[in-house]
Amino acid sequence: MAGGGERTDGWREALSAAARPAPLPLRGDWSSQAGYEQGRLLAEDPSVTAVFCASDQLALGVLRALHEAGRRVPEDVSVVGFDDTPDAGHYLPPLTTVRQDFAELGRRSLGLLLAQLDRSDREPAARRTVQVPRLIVRSSTGPPPGRSATPATGLRAP
């Protein structure tokens, strides 16, 4: 499940870098209810071994749908959220998620706005900054079924 333009782009780029096909993303709003509804569809497909959700709220719904369908997380399906909400570590299982530093994003945004206000009589400054998020690994992810983790690194073995 993807959503949010840059999040979807990053998901596709990561799959491409891993030489994996990108399935069509499922769409919905950012709520746990949407995650639950889409998660019920994903739970019916035995080929689904991992789900990337564009928000932790979506992931919460997916976790419930997978549980109700008898799919174990992370043994059968890994689930990754996005935003590292304060409750993400308390989901069952604790959610692997992507963390953005929202305070830093706010500071950068304010800095760009103030710079633009200083340039009010001239052309807008075309600036785009990218902040690299961090993957917070918790218990909702693991090796795909039939594969094991490499003990020294935690990376998935081929």
Side-chain angles (χ1 to χ4, degrees):
M1 293 181 58
E6 290 182 346
R7 293 177 187 197
T8 301
D9 292 345
W11 168 73
R12 282 192 178 112
E13 288 172 19
L15 287 172
S16 177
R20 302 283 187 219
L24 289 175
L26 300 178
R27 302 286 180 188
D29 62 26
W30 296 73
S31 70
S32 55
Q33 180 63 36
Y36 176 74
E37 291 166 3
Q38 300 294 359
R40 287 178 59 189
L41 296 172
L42 293 168
E44 293 174 5
D45 183 349
S47 71
V48 172
T49 61
V51 180
F52 169 72
C53 301
S55 76
D56 291 348
Q57 284 301 116
L58 283 166
L60 177 61
V62 168
L63 288 171
R64 179 178 173 197
L66 291 169
H67 172 76
E68 288 179 0
R71 304 283 304 272
R72 299 168 303 153
V73 175
E75 294 86 352
D76 301 326
V77 181
S78 289
V79 177
V80 177
F82 204 106
D83 291 328
D84 194 24
T85 58
D87 295 332
H90 299 285
Y91 288 11
L92 192 58
L95 183 65
T96 295
T97 186
V98 178
R99 176 185 294 161
Q100 294 187 96
D101 184 346
F102 286 108
E104 179 62 22
L105 285 172
R107 282 189 289 277
R108 288 181 183 187
S109 296
L110 181 59
L112 289 171
L113 175 62
L114 291 173
Q116 187 61 44
L117 290 173
D118 285 345
R119 297 177 53 87
S120 62
D121 62 332
R122 295 178 271 159
E123 284 292 311
R127 276 183 57 190
R128 180 173 186 221
T129 62
V130 176
Q131 181 180 345
V132 178
R134 268 186 36 209
L135 179 65
I136 307 301
V137 178
R138 296 192 180 105
S139 303
S140 68
T141 53
R147 295 189 183 173
S148 61
T150 304
T153 64
L155 297 177
R156 295 180 178 111

